Amino acid sequence: MHHLDTAGQRVSEPLHAREVSFGTAYFGVRDPHHASRDFQAMRRTGYDWVLLPMTQDDAVWERATFRHLVQRAEANGLEPIVSLWGGGLFGGEGNEGPLDATEWLED
């Protein structure tokens, strides 16, 4: 983890000073109601965050659905972490698409 000091410089915290948190990856479910139930179960289990792998297909065709997943995770007390997945730039199963990483993450 990083923070900025009083001069605005990035400072890394030593590993022993970091708080441990737990979460899990969540991939393939696009039904927001189903995801909400799963996110509730994750929170009850004690998870703090959920990793949401975002493929190029998600960026091109499922952007609104993906945004709902992020909102549902937050609404259920989880920190959503979005990770680019597949597409020729990153490992994974997604199809290679026309987007570079900057376009992939545009809102």
Side-chain angles (χ1 to χ4, degrees), residues 1 12-20:
M1 302 200 81
S12 294
E13 295 177 25
L15 285 175
H16 67 275
R18 295 181 187 174
E19 183 178 320
V20 175

Side-chain angles (χ1 to χ4, degrees), residues 10 18 24 29 40 44 54 81 86 95 99 103 105:
R10 187 174 163 171
R18 295 181 187 174
T24 190
V29 176
Q40 290 168 7
R44 282 193 309 271
M54 182 183 207
I81 300 168
N95 296 325
L99 306 176
E103 293 170 313
L105 292 173

Side-chain angles (χ1 to χ4, degrees), residues 41-53:
M42 288 176 200
R43 194 65 191 127
R44 282 193 309 271
T45 301
Y47 291 152
D48 300 303
W49 52 267
V50 60
L51 177 77
L52 301 169

Side-chain angles (χ1 to χ4, degrees), residues 23-38:
T24 190
Y26 190 74
F27 182 74
V29 176
R30 296 297 178 255
D31 177 342
H33 300 292
H34 184 109
S36 282
R37 289 190 302 273
D38 288 344

Side-chain angles (χ1 to χ4, degrees), residues 55-56 85-99 104:
T55 67
Q56 286 208 12
W85 185 258
L89 295 175
F90 305 96
E93 302 161 356
N95 296 325
E96 186 168 350
L99 306 176
W104 205 335

